[in-house]
């Protein structure tokens, strides 16, 4: 009887740990996705159109802190902050 109870307990513990792991993975994905912005979100941030952001990417001007995930292009929000600071710093020094 103890063996059956022990096996049931182990199964329950394993199931609970899988749920916790799935939640942790989902939370991590959500945090990672907050870190990246889409082309449309970057366009909104710079008050321009998504076509302009795509052109900047093509021409090699503007923020170059993007990654490609299949057909998707994502921009690192922290790198955009650094790009903004560098741009402002360069203009103030001139």
């Amino acid at each position: 009887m103890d063996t059956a109870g022990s096996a049931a307990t182990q199964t329950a513990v394993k199931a609970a740990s899988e749920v916790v792991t799935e939640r942790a993975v989902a939370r991590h994905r959500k945090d990672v996705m907050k870190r990246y912005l889409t082309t449309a979100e970057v366009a909104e941030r710079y008050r321009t159109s998504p076509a302009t952001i795509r052109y900047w990417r093509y021409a090699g001007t503007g923020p170059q802190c993007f990654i490609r995930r299949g057909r998707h292009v994502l921009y690192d929000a922290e790198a955009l902050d650094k790009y903004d600071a560098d741009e402002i710093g360069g203009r103030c020094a001139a």
Side-chain angles (χ1 to χ4, degrees):
M1 188 92 160
D2 282 325
T3 307
S6 174
T9 302
Q10 288 177 351
T11 303
V13 168
K14 183 177 178 183
S17 68
E18 287 174 358
V19 169
V20 170
T21 302
E22 288 174 10
R23 287 181 185 160
V25 168
R27 200 173 314 118
H28 174 71
R29 278 192 190 132
K30 189 175 180 181
D31 291 342
V32 167
M33 292 314 294
K34 282 183 186 177
R35 179 178 173 197
Y36 293 101
L37 302 174
T38 64
T39 300
E41 291 168 331
V42 173
E44 187 176 322
R45 176 178 174 149
Y46 290 107
R47 296 181 181 173
T48 190
S49 71
T52 300
I53 301 300
R54 286 191 295 273
Y55 177 75
W56 288 349
R57 190 171 60 240
Y58 167 79
T61 61
Q64 295 297 306
C65 51
F66 62 90
I67 59 170
R68 294 182 191 271
R69 292 288 180 244
R71 294 178 59 188
H72 300 280
V73 177
L74 300 172
Y75 288 83
D76 186 335
E78 291 176 11
L80 287 173
D81 292 339
K82 185 178 182 314
Y83 171 80
D84 293 342
D86 292 345
E87 283 292 305
I88 291 169
R91 289 186 189 155
C92 291

